[in-house]
Every structure is written in structure tokens, then in C-alpha cells.
């Protein structure tokens, strides 16, 4: 209980208000509902982190809420403040623009705000920012494909996600990275919408259109799953590698087993929500300082380090 | 009591113009195919054409069932979510059966029967609520659209439900296999379409469906069991969704919350492009089949070329859909 007066002092100094000094720190976590693999991973890791952190910090209570859209999320954080009296909020916004104002309003009332992954349109609305590295995600993938194809180069096809800022950042960084290998030719880049079925169709059409493809940057593991099926169906043997991304457990498992086409993966870990929660709780309940911005790098998973990125219990 | 001589169906139009208009979707498809061939000669390759028809099979089979529902004056917005839920439940059931029945055909057949039963029951539920409960089909199926997908998301915890690998290997041929060089999904699609055409045009039930859509009140006075016929259209559609799912599951061996997203719109679009009136009364199965193939072809053509910005794909699809509808507008009044 030693930390309580310390926190009171801290919040008084930090927020100019001592009203938040309570015996129990309530931390709200607001995340998108599990609607596809990656967000399902976010929900899973948030749940695991809640259990761990509440054990580590007996003076902290963590409430995890999921929302299906920006509107619902804005209502939820309002309720977290008025009903649960949270002193800190860890939020992965569904959408940046519509949530910036509600989050700023909460900060003005003295709630410590940690924003995760999707940045707000006004960074002043947050105290801390924890995010994955989207340009890094494209860069690591581009460098791996350049190196894997070697001096001879080859033909590459790209499956993009949905037309969003995230996808543009990844794609631009990928294209910049493969420029280092002049012999690589990008045949086309089409949207697979981060979806297995759509990726399957786009890949079928790529296979019809291009007689020789050396590598596929599927840019996501769900899409890679569809790509692999299309290649298998067309019985094509010219493709040497398929690079997905995000570290889905089925793909990491293939890596461990030594799949011929899946030789690497690039992380964009849904566990970043757990990192953000750890940093925030350590700050408000443990008094540890927190950096204004924490970028979780995208790293290359290969057979050598795959075991440490394999979470068999996660739905993703 | 015969209804064949009651003026329930619209009079046949024999003018040349109307006949050409009736061929609207077919002409649209042929034009699109010519354009596609000019853009990329691989379009007409056997493997590409089978790819197109195989993909069209999913929404096409659903659209055949949807044709009945729409002709009778109803609508079903839930079919995409229903397909996802059936796929998820079917996979869970088969996975659970592996320790008891092994990973062979007995497990798969039980899974298939379950898929059809779930589809049929979902259709029965829709039909009963809509007719007995007297709630607009739009509202009922809008509700179940949310319910079905939410249940699947719950079952999968937002991730994906994957089929046992060995069962998947046995089941694979149902999608990837072929008979006399024709892929199984295309054969099933053809069979469903032929059956649908026979039921709609050659049976008393088919005439009742058209009569009800044309004028429900008159059909009631003609002693047609309106409630029974309507319920049956939803059950028929549910079974079609079940059949489509049987073909879908072996493709990727998994179901996730994004499975079957927007299939309802594709199926409805195929029916309308095919010349069935959205307000009910009359329609045709062959038109629906052409409509389903046309929709998939647009997507395929866009993937085979890169002359149009990828951001505009949906716009091209929209333009083609509206154009086809425009050229056959004389057919629907």
C-alpha cells in the first residue's frame, strides 16, 4: 500500500488533481471486438495480461471492454469513466478520427491515456503511445524477399490488405526495400482484403495471368493461407516462397515443421496490447516512468527463433 | 382447383424488343467476355473458365434458392451469415466426430447431413416467423444476419475454426476434384440450377410461388396455401445455403467471422441482374445463373488486367451491374 501516497502525489503533480487518489487503481482497457484473426489475438492477449497484472499489482483492477465500432467504443469509455471511475485508459481505437475527441475529453478529466497501434488525429489527446511498426513490417518483408531471391532476382506478386493508411505504409516500405535488388520485378499488387477467400481468388487469377512467379508477398497470414491453397490447386512449382505476416500460430507451426514455401514470417504482434497494459499499469500502480512513445519493432521469424513466437492457446 | 387459367402470371410479351431485352444478362456476359479476351487472351483458357464457374458456384447455388424467395415477394439478407455459421458448426461437428467415426467418409457424410439440416431449420425458422409472426422478411433476416454471424464469432473466439487435417484431406476432392474434367462444384451448380428451373417452371409449386409474388391476395382467394408455400421457399433457400457450404468447407478447410461476408448482396444482385423482379411475381433461373457468373467474371477480369486503379474495382462492378439492368429494363414493368 506504500505506492498509494506516491501515486497520489504523482497524479496530483501530473494532472493537477488529487481527486483520483483511491486505494484501488482502476485501469480500463478498450479494444475492438474479435472480428478477425488479429483482433481475436488482441482480445486473447488482453485477457492473459489482465490476469497476470492483477496478480502482480494487488492495488490494480483491470476492466477489459470490447467494442464492435467506433461509436460503441466512445460510449464504453464514457461508461468506464463515470461508472467504473478509471484512473487510466489503454485504448486501441477502432478508428482514429472519431475517437480523438472523446479520448481528449477523458484526458482533460485527468485520466491517464495510453493509445495503442492506431494513432489519434491529435497526439495531444494521449499521454503515451504504444504501436507496431508498419513501415518496419514492409521493410523487413522486402529485405527478406530480396535476400531470399538472391542475385538472380525474380518475379514477385503482392497481395495488399484493405485500402488504408496502414496498408499504404507497409506497401511503400516493401517497395522501397526490394529496390536494393535490381533484378526483382513486381508483377502486380492487388487487394486481398486481409481475407482468405479473397486472397484465394486473387492468387488464382495471378496464376492464370503470370506463367512464372518466384515469390509472393501475401503481407498477412490469413491471406497466405488462401494463397497456398490456390498454388496447390494449380499444381504450380515455379513459386519458391510465400511470405505472410503477423505471426499466426498455424503459420509459425508450419515454419517449425519446415514447410517448403513458408520459410519466414514477419511479426506484427497482437500481444502489443499486453505490452501497453504492462507499461501503463506499472506507471499508474507501480509509479514507474513510461515513455511517450514505444514502437514495437517488426522482427523476422525464421525456423531458428520460431518457438518463442508460437502461442498454441491463442485463437490467432 | 386449377390456377393455370387464372390471370395471376403476367401475360407473355411477344414483341421482338421484349425478347431482346430478356436476353440482357446473357448479352452483357458475352460483351464482358469479348472485352476480357481482348485484354488478356488467357481469359478463355480452360483453367480460367473453370476457376470462374467454380467460384460462381457458391453464390450461384444460393442465388437459385434466393430466386424462389424473391419471386414469392420475400427476401433473405442472412444467407452470408448463415453460410458462415453452417460452415463453422459443420467443422466443429466433424472435428468432434473424428475420435468416434475416424477421419474418413462416415464423419464427412454426418457433417454434410448436419449442414443441410441446419440450413433447412434456419429456413424453416425464417419462414415461420415471417408468415405466422407476420413480420417483414427484411426485418427478420436482418436480425438473423447479425445473430448467425455473432454466434459464429463466439464459437471461433473471433479467430478461425479449422477442420481436422486428415478429414480435410479426405474431403478435399469435393471442391478440388472433377468428373470427366469438370470440377465437382460446377456439376453441383448445374444440377441445382436445372432442378430449380424444373421446380419453378414445370411444377404446381413453382406456379404457386409465382402467383403469390404476383398478387398474394388473389392467390389466397384461389385457395393456395400461401403460408405453406412461402415457408417452403425459405426452407428451399436454407437447403441451397447448406449445399453451397458443403462445397465451400473443403476449399480452405476453415471458417472465420469473415466467411461469406456480403454473399447475401452477391446472391440478390445475381437474381436481379438475371431479370427477376425485386417486387416479386416472375423471374427465371437461367437468368440468375448468368447473373452469378457475370458478377464473378467482372472480378476476374479486373484481376487479369491492371489498366484500372485497384481502388476503383467496386466502381467498375457497380457500373456493369447498372448497365445490365438498364438494357433489360423493358422486360420488367
Amino acid at each position: 500500500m506504500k505506492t498509494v501516497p506516491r501515486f497520489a502525489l504523482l497524479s496530483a503533480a501530473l494532472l493537477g488533481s488529487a481527486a483520483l487518489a483511491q486505494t484501488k487503481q482502476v485501469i480500463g482497457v478498450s479494444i475492438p471486438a474479435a472480428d478477425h484473426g488479429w483482433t481475436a489475438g488482441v482480445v486473447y492477449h488482453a485477457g492473459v495480461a489482465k490476469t497476470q497484472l492483477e496478480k502482480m499489482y494487488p492495488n490494480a483492477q483491470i476492466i477489459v471492454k470490447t467494442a464492435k465500432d467506433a461509436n460503441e467504443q466512445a460510449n464504453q469509455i464514457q461508461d468506464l469513466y463515470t461508472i467504473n471511475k478509471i484512473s487510466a485508459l489503454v485504448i486501441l481505437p477502432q478508428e482514429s478520427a472519431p475517437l480523438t475527441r472523446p479520448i481528449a475529453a477523458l484526458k482533460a478529466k485527468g485520466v491517464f491515456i495510453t493509445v495503442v497501434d492506431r494513432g489519434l488525429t491529435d497526439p495531444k489527446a494521449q499521454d503515451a503511445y504504444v504501436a507496431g511498426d508498419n513501415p518496419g513490417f514492409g521493410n523487413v518483408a522486402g529485405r527478406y524477399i530480396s535476400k531470399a531471391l538472391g542475385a538472380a532476382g525474380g518475379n514477385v506478386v503482392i497481395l495488399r490488405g484493405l485500402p488504408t493508411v496502414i496498408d499504404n505504409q507497409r506497401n511503400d516500405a516493401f517497395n522501397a526495400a526490394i529496390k536494393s535488388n535490381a533484378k526483382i520485378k513486381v508483377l502486380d499488387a492487388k487487394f486481398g482484403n486481409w481475407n482468405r477467400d479473397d486472397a484465394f481468388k486473387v492468387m488464382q487469377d495471378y496464376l492464370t495471368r503470370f506463367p512464372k512467379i518466384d515469390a509472393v508477398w501475401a503481407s498477412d497470414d490469413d491471406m497466405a493461407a488462401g494463397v497456398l491453397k490456390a498454388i496447390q490447386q494449380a499444381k504450380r512449382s515455379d513459386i519458391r516462397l510465400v511470405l505472410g505476416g503477423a505471426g499466426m500460430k498455424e503459420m509459425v507451426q508450419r515454419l517449425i515443421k519446415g514447410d517448403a514455401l513458408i520459410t519466414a514470417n514477419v511479426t506484427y504482434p497482437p500481444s502489443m496490447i499486453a505490452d501497453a497494459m504492462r507499461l501503463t499499469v506499472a506507471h499508474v500502480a507501480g509509479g514507474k516512468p513510461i515513455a511517450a512513445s514505444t514502437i514495437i519493432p517488426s522482427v523476422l521469424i525464421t525456423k531458428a527463433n520460431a518457438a518463442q513466437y508460437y502461442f498454441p492457446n491463442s485463437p490467432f | 382447383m386449377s390456377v393455370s387459367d387464372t390471370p395471376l402470371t403476367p401475360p407473355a410479351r411477344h414483341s421482338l424488343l421484349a425478347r431482346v431485352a430478356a436476353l440482357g444478362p446473357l448479352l452483357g456476359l458475352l460483351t464482358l467476355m469479348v472485352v476480357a479476351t481482348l485484354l488478356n487472351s488467357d481469359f478463355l483458357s480452360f483453367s480460367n473458365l473453370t476457376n470462374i464457374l467454380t467460384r460462381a458456384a457458391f453464390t450461384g447455388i444460393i442465388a437459385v434458392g434466393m430466386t424462389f424467395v424473391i419471386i414469392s415477394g420475400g427476401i433473405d439478407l442472412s444467407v452470408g451469415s448463415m453460410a458462415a455459421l453452417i460452415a463453422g458448426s459443420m467443422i466443429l461437428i466433424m472435428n468432434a466426430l473424428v475420435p468416434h467415426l475416424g477421419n474418413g467418409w462416415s464423419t464427412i457424410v454426418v457433417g454434410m447431413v448436419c449442414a443441410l439440416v441446419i440450413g433447412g431449420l434456419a429456413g424453416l425458422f425464417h419462414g415461420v416467423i415471417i408468415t405466422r409472426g407476420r413480420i417483414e422478411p427484411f426485418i427478420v433476416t436482418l436480425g438473423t444476419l447479425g445473430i448467425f454471424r455473432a454466434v459464429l464469432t463466439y464459437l471461433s473466439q473471433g479467430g478461425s475454426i479449422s477442420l481436422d487435417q486428415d478429414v480435410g484431406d479426405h474431403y478435399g476432392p469435393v471442391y478440388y476434384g472433377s468428373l470427366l474434367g469438370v470440377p465437382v462444384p460446377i456439376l453441383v451448380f448445374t444440377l441445382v440450377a436445372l432442378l430449380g428451373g424444373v421446380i419453378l417452371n414445370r411444377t404446381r409449386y413453382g406456379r404457386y410461388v409465382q402467383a403469390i409474388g404476383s398478387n398474394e391476395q388473389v392467390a389466397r382467394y384461389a385457395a393456395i396455401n400461401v403460408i405453406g408455400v412461402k415457408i417452403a421457399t425459405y426452407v428451399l433457400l436454407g437447403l441451397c445455403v447448406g449445399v453451397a457450404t458443403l462445397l465451400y468447407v473443403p476449399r480452405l478447410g476453415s471458417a472465420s467471422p469473415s466467411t461469406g461476408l456480403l454473399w447475401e448482396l452477391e446472391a440478390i444482385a445475381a437474381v436481379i441482374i438475371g431479370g427477376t423482379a425485386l417486387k416479386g411475381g416472375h423471374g427465371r433461373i437461367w437468368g440468375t445463373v448468368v447473373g452469378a457468373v457475370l458478377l464473378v467474371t467482372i472480378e476476374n477480369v479486373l484481376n487479369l488486367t491492371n489498366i484500372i486503379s485497384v481502388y476503383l474495382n467496386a466502381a467498375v462492378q457497380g457500373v456493369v451491374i447498372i448497365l445490365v439492368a438498364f438494357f433489360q429494363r423493358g422486360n420488367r414493368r
Side-chain angles (χ1 to χ4, degrees):
Chain A
M1 282 294 151
K2 257 194 335 225
T3 50
V4 175
R6 233 162 90 201
F7 176 77
L9 210 70
L10 191 78
S11 54
L14 211 75
L15 314 162
S17 156
L20 285 157
Q22 305 161 333
T23 49
K24 196 131 183 143
Q25 292 298 324
V26 185
I27 293 110
V29 178
S30 174
I31 49 181
D35 54 6
H36 66 277
W38 195 80
T39 43
V42 169
V43 175
Y44 167 79
H45 284 287
V48 172
K50 171 186 150 76
T51 323
Q52 281 177 355
L53 288 168
E54 282 184 337
K55 211 172 277 171
M56 268 174 75
Y57 298 92
N59 62 331
Q61 185 201 348
I62 298 170
I63 300 169
V64 178
K65 295 258 181 204
T66 62
K68 69 176 188 307
D69 56 36
N71 185 43
E72 189 182 353
Q73 202 172 17
N75 293 339
Q76 269 177 7
I77 62 174
Q78 201 65 51
D79 291 347
L80 280 171
Y81 178 74
T82 47
I83 297 164
N84 305 108
K85 316 242 182 314
I86 52 167
S87 56
L89 174 71
V90 178
I91 181 164
L92 200 167
Q94 277 276 7
E95 287 174 74
S96 304
L99 281 161
T100 297
R101 204 174 272 274
I103 292 173
L106 237 57
K107 190 188 174 209
K109 286 177 186 155
V111 178
F112 185 88
I113 308 278
T114 303
V115 170
V116 187
D117 197 36
R118 292 172 207 171
L120 300 174
T121 46
D122 179 10
K124 283 204 285 293
Q126 72 205 16
D127 293 290
Y129 180 57
V130 177
D133 183 3
N134 283 305
F137 182 89
N139 179 278
V140 170
R143 280 189 312 177
Y144 179 76
I145 287 187
S146 299
K147 210 175 128 212
L149 291 182
N155 295 336
V156 176
V157 291
I158 299 174
L159 284 100
R160 301 184 57 171
L162 285 164
T164 57
V165 177
I166 293 176
D167 185 68
N168 289 344
Q169 286 178 342
R170 292 176 173 187
N171 201 53
D172 292 348
F174 179 86
N175 283 318
I178 56 166
K179 284 235 167 64
S180 62
N181 188 338
K183 290 279 179 59
I184 286 184
K185 191 173 162 216
V186 174
L187 297 172
D188 202 0
K190 294 228 182 275
F191 290 108
N193 308 325
W194 285 314
N195 176 312
R196 284 179 199 216
D197 291 326
D198 292 352
F200 178 83
K201 293 182 208 166
V202 171
M203 192 62 204
Q204 271 194 334
D205 293 339
Y206 277 157
L207 291 168
T208 302
R209 199 172 139 199
F210 304 115
K212 181 147 178 17
I213 298 170
D214 294 286
V216 184
W217 184 42
S219 79
D220 176 79
D221 287 334
D222 260 319
M223 292 202 287
V227 165
L228 288 172
K229 283 285 182 186
I231 295 173
Q232 198 184 355
Q233 184 205 20
K235 299 190 179 63
R236 287 273 291 259
S237 53
D238 49 329
I239 294 131
R240 285 186 270 162
L241 92 111
V242 174
L243 182 62
M248 188 204 276
K249 66 175 177 190
E250 285 88 357
M251 287 295 161
V252 180
Q253 198 181 26
R254 272 172 184 264
L255 247 175
I256 293 171
K257 283 185 180 161
D259 192 285
L261 287 174
I262 303 287
T263 52
N265 203 299
V266 183
T267 61
Y268 192 80
S271 61
M272 69 176 68
I273 189 71
D275 295 325
M277 287 165 67
R278 224 163 273 140
L279 292 168
T280 309
V281 175
H283 178 63
V284 297
K288 295 202 182 77
I290 182 168
S293 174
T294 309
I295 300 293
I296 296 158
S298 281
V299 292
L300 190 72
I301 310 178
T302 57
K303 205 175 171 182
N305 63 355
Q308 71 190 85
Y309 295 99
Y310 184 54
F311 305 102
N313 294 327
S314 164
F316 181 64
Chain B
M1 167 107 202
S2 163
V3 287
S4 58
D5 51 359
T6 50
L8 294 176
T9 44
R13 277 179 265 274
H14 292 290
S15 75
L16 189 68
L17 206 69
R19 287 200 172 193
V20 172
L23 291 174
L26 202 57
L27 294 174
L29 181 60
L30 289 173
T31 315
L32 195 64
M33 288 175 78
V34 170
V35 173
T37 315
L38 292 175
L39 289 170
N40 190 326
S41 55
D42 284 332
F43 175 81
L44 284 179
S45 66
F46 179 74
S47 64
N48 191 54
L49 292 179
T50 51
N51 277 351
I52 291 179
L53 291 173
T54 314
R55 284 183 215 167
F58 301 129
T59 42
I61 290 170
I62 295 174
V64 169
M66 187 72 83
T67 312
F68 283 88
V69 168
I70 291 182
I71 290 177
S72 79
I75 192 104
D76 189 337
L77 302 176
S78 76
V79 290
S81 304
M82 199 198 289
L85 179 59
I86 294 175
S89 322
M90 186 183 172
I91 293 173
L92 286 175
I93 289 169
M94 286 192 287
N95 285 349
L97 285 176
V98 170
H100 310 290
L101 294 176
N103 52 27
W105 280 103
S106 39
T107 298
I108 295 169
V109 168
V110 176
M112 286 176 151
V113 171
C114 287
L116 293 175
V117 168
I118 298 170
L121 285 177
L124 184 67
F125 175 78
H126 282 155
V128 169
I129 299 287
I130 289 164
T131 53
R132 298 275 178 205
R134 276 179 290 160
I135 307 175
E136 283 293 322
F138 191 97
I139 301 300
V140 173
T141 56
L142 188 65
T144 51
L145 174 149
I147 297 169
F148 293 157
R149 194 167 293 282
V151 172
L152 172 75
T153 310
Y154 170 76
L155 290 176
S156 68
Q157 298 176 56
S160 53
I161 305 176
S162 294
L163 184 59
D164 180 276
Q165 190 68 45
D166 295 323
V167 180
D169 289 344
H170 283 102
Y171 197 172
V174 173
Y175 178 82
Y176 292 105
S178 54
L179 211 71
L180 303 170
V182 184
V184 177
I186 301 179
L187 291 173
V188 177
F189 184 21
T190 314
L191 205 70
V192 170
L194 286 175
L195 211 63
V198 168
I199 294 177
L200 183 64
N201 301 317
R202 296 274 180 274
T203 67
R204 185 187 298 181
Y205 175 76
R207 286 200 303 278
Y208 286 173
V209 170
Q210 303 188 42
I212 290 170
S214 195
N215 191 329
E216 197 174 321
Q217 212 55 43
V218 175
R220 221 181 286 271
Y221 292 142
I224 294 175
N225 177 2
V226 172
I227 288 181
V229 171
K230 276 187 155 182
I231 292 177
T233 61
Y234 289 97
V235 174
L236 209 63
L237 174 55
L239 290 173
C240 284
V241 176
V243 172
T245 314
L246 295 184
L247 300 172
Y248 173 83
V249 168
R251 178 163 96 176
L252 297 173
S254 77
S256 72
S258 64
T259 298
L261 218 51
L262 297 183
W263 279 12
E264 58 282 344
L265 290 187
E266 269 181 56
I268 294 168
V271 174
I272 303 306
I273 290 171
T276 297
L278 190 52
K279 61 175 166 39
H282 67 98
R284 43 193 191 217
I285 299 290
W286 72 263
T288 298
V289 172
V290 172
V293 176
L294 184 94
L295 285 173
V296 175
T297 309
I298 303 170
E299 209 178 54
N300 175 257
V301 173
L302 290 167
N303 280 341
L304 289 181
T305 57
N306 47 1
I307 47 171
I308 295 165
S309 163
V310 280
Y311 297 110
L312 287 174
N313 275 8
V316 176
Q317 286 168 326
V319 168
V320 175
I321 291 169
I322 294 172
L323 274 180
V324 170
F326 177 80
F327 284 122
Q328 57 163 341
R329 72 198 187 287
N331 195 40
R332 287 191 228 127
R333 235 162 267 164

